[in-house]
């Protein structure tokens, strides 16, 4: 779970994936978040759909002005990053707005998971300034962390991997790297043959996904320790 400390991998990373369930939607889906048995789906039209534990769908549970780039849950809050505007909204689990602020990443971040919540702090890509920006849950700036994001890249994703580290993907160049925010060093880098869009990590593996007209939809599984 995001925000929890990851343990050292005790076995080899998985080499295959198995489909468990599909939940159809009639809008372009950008991000999905599962929290306390409820699934929140961020869509291209700025809507967030809510699917409860019984499968009941509440369409447009939250409606925002731009496409939803990332949804993350922390305690009783939903933290939402909007594309193009680079705005961050905080909502209650009941769908009431709690806070709002501008992230102002002028480079834009149009695809990928670009926001993580770790120990009550919000980490957001800021590719315009080649850094990760950290806020508290009320939107107050905590610090900036220099990070080797390509300047002006519109496609960069990150996922928390425990012990002050994040997994970051970029499209130009097409790569995935493990970054230590405490020492601001890159622990490993893997150059990818295809363009990545999103990344997620567990205690055992890193999952990188992407798509393209000529490349199809794909998922790469990497070792968390060495890429």
């Amino acid at each position: 779970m995001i925000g929890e400390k990851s343990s050292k991998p005790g076995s080899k990373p998985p080499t295959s994936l198995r489909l468990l369930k599909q939940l159809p939607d009639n809008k372009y889906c950008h991000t999905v978040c599962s929290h306390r048995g409820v699934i929140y789906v961020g869509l291209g039209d700025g809507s967030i759909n809510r699917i409860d534990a019984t499968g009941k769908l509440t369409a447009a549970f939250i409606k925002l002005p731009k496409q939803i780039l990332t949804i993350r849950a922390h305690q009783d809050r939903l933290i939402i990053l909007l594309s193009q505007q680079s705005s961050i909204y905080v909502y209650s689990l009941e769908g009431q707005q709690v806070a709002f602020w501008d992230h102002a990443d002028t480079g834009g971040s149009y695809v990928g998971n670009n926001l993580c919540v770790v120990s009550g702090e919000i980490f957001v890509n800021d590719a315009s300034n080649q850094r990760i920006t950290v806020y508290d849950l009320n939107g107050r700036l905590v610090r900036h962390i220099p990070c080797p994001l390509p300047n002006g890249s519109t496609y960069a994703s990150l996922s928390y991997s425990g012990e002050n580290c994040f997994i970051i993907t970029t499209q130009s160049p097409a790569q995935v790297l493990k970054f230590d925010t405490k020492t601001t060093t890159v622990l490993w880098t893997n150059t990818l043959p295809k363009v990545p869009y999103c990344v997620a990590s567990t205690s055992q593996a890193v999952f990188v996904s992407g798509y393209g007209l000529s490349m199809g939809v794909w998922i790469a599984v990497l070792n968390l320790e060495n890429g």
Side-chain angles (χ1 to χ4, degrees):
M1 179 172 294
I2 294 172
E4 293 184 346
K5 185 176 180 180
S6 298
S7 60
K8 294 289 184 179
S11 60
K12 293 182 179 180
T15 57
S16 62
L17 302 174
R18 179 168 60 91
L19 178 65
L20 296 179
K21 182 168 59 174
Q22 287 182 307
L23 299 172
D25 206 307
N26 60 357
K27 299 286 195 313
Y28 189 84
C29 172
H30 281 260
T31 182
V32 176
C33 175
S34 178
H35 184 58
R36 297 179 181 174
V38 178
I39 298 172
Y40 301 91
V41 183
L43 305 177
D45 67 351
S47 299
I48 295 177
N49 288 350
R50 181 182 187 274
I51 304 171
D52 68 17
T54 68
K56 179 184 177 182
L57 169 66
T58 303
F61 172 68
I62 296 172
K63 188 69 173 72
L64 294 170
K66 294 288 184 178
Q67 69 186 37
I68 309 299
L69 182 65
T70 311
I71 303 172
R72 291 292 180 261
H74 180 74
Q75 297 177 350
D76 59 348
R77 295 289 184 264
L78 295 175
I79 297 92
I80 305 159
L81 176 65
L82 266 60
S83 179
Q84 297 177 324
Q85 288 185 329
S86 292
S87 302
I88 297 174
Y89 289 79
V90 180
Y91 273 73
S92 70
L93 298 181
E94 291 73 40
Q96 301 299 315
Q97 184 175 322
V98 175
F100 160 82
W101 65 92
D102 288 320
H103 175 50
D105 181 0
T106 57
S109 298
Y110 302 106
V111 176
N113 44 304
N114 289 266
L115 180 152
C116 292
V117 185
V118 182
S119 300
E121 292 185 329
I122 301 171
F123 292 72
V124 194
N125 275 342
D126 185 355
S128 299
N129 297 292
Q130 296 180 287
R131 65 192 183 190
I132 295 173
T133 300
V134 185
Y135 301 99
D136 67 15
L137 294 175
N138 296 310
R140 288 187 290 265
L141 177 65
V142 177
R143 62 190 179 278
H144 294 299
I145 304 171
C147 180
L149 291 166
N151 187 24
S153 173
T154 57
Y155 301 105
S157 297
L158 79 164
S159 175
Y160 183 63
S161 64
E163 299 179 348
N164 302 305
C165 293
F166 286 83
I167 306 299
I168 300 173
T169 65
T170 63
Q171 287 198 342
S172 181
Q175 65 179 10
V176 55
L177 57 91
K178 186 174 183 179
F179 178 69
D180 188 322
T181 59
K182 188 174 182 179
T183 62
T184 65
T185 56
V186 176
L187 303 180
W188 55 256
T189 302
N190 190 324
T191 300
L192 300 172
K194 298 181 180 181
V195 175
Y197 277 79
C198 295
V199 63
S201 56
T202 70
S203 60
Q204 294 184 349
V206 175
F207 299 86
V208 183
S209 66
Y211 72 91
L213 294 177
S214 60
M215 294 181 289
V217 178
W218 58 272
I219 296 176
V221 182
L222 308 178
N223 188 294
L224 178 65
E225 292 302 300
N226 55 28

